[in-house]
Amino acid sequence: MDVRKLLHMKEGVGQNSYANNSSVQSNVTAYAKSSIEENIKEGYHALGPKCFMMADTGCSSGPNTLSVVSEAINVIDEACRSLQCKVPEFGVFLNDLPGNDFNTLFKFLPSFYKWVAEEKGSNFGPCFVSGTPRSFHERVFPCNFLHFVFSGYALHWLSQESRAREIVPGGSMVLTFLGSIQSTDPHSLHELLGFTLHDMASEDMIEEEKLDKFNIPLYSATVEEVRQLVENEGSFLINKLEIFTIDWSVRMMEDSNHQAKFLVDSIRAVFESLLADAFSEAIIDDLFVRFETKIQKHIAAGQPIEYLNILASMTKKT
Ligand SMILES: C[S@@+](CC[C@H](N)C(=O)[O-])C[C@H]1O[C@@H](n2cnc3c(N)ncnc32)[C@H](O)[C@@H]1O
């Protein structure tokens, strides 16, 4: 399975779209907010570039994408006000796989530019936003090009990220991704999805052979594995590396049916493309109805549905 060709979050802005079902990822980014602000502020103070270059790797398509960019603009605007200096230009690169719904993402741009003009004035920036459709496993940017890289909930689709050459010395990264205490720990939701697929195979609704071959190519590293990776690579100083749990809003909703629906919609928006390719489009609705029932039972039995996440903030050595 070539994930780079098959994986894409559910496109558009409809009911099942990623844009409409990404509040979990938004909560994870909210957790990283102070690190994002600190890194951008420190990087800007130290480097004072005329054009601040930033990238969102694994940006997907939805409201989360431009919220990080807006935050970066606010931080630099504030820094420039306190330093009484001219605001830089901004180069913003939205990176994802070529199958990502960049068309929908670009349709958010006019309102983003309007926000910049209204909030910051027509002389602000300017801010140049562009898409860079390419796997972040490969080189995406020129050497010593970026001042800040954000990657929200995308790096668990691989086990290493090598942006070192593309970031200027003194530039930084803030990354969030799925983590684990032991990298062999199963994730409860993925396990329940697996059980659902097994049920369907035992009822001959999907082929056993296809199920045996199917694999969700996610890797949840431990904090120690990430630390080792960063230290062995050698280009970055770690500012913060911590594991945290996110609220899947399960406790905020009283009705377990609503909780289950919320979880299913979040998972479906991410995994539908891979599942449809592996087992056919025709089984998708049935699969997610069954999955929802499994989650309802899981919640009713008082089982927790919590994911561990890693926040990594690091600055490139000068
Ligand atoms: C769960 S979404 C997170 C999107 C967004 N950052 C957010 O916080 O809402 C993960 C994104 O990573 C992208 N992705 C996964 N592997 C990638 C790769 N090798 N190169 C570029 N993007 C990738 C996926 O296509 C998807 O859009």
Side-chain angles (χ1 to χ4, degrees), residues 192-212:
L192 291 179
L193 186 60
F195 293 150
T196 312
L197 288 166
H198 274 284
D199 289 351
M200 291 177 84
S202 63
E203 291 172 38
D204 289 332
M205 297 188 65
I206 59 176
E207 289 169 39
E208 196 81 48
E209 202 188 325
K210 286 186 177 170
L211 182 56
D212 289 344

Side-chain angles (χ1 to χ4, degrees), residues 266-291:
S266 304
I267 290 283
R268 181 171 180 164
V270 173
F271 293 113
E272 184 173 330
S273 64
L274 293 181
L275 290 160
D277 176 78
F279 303 108
S280 101
E281 199 78 53
I283 63 122
I284 291 296
D285 284 339
D286 195 9
L287 167 65
F288 282 103
V289 169
R290 287 161 175 259
F291 182 43

Side-chain angles (χ1 to χ4, degrees), residues 74 76-85 87 119-120 124:
N74 281 335
I76 293 185
D77 184 29
E78 213 170 282
C80 291
R81 279 172 204 270
S82 70
L83 293 170
Q84 295 189 320
C85 66
V87 174
E119 284 289 314
K120 310 291 176 191
F124 187 87

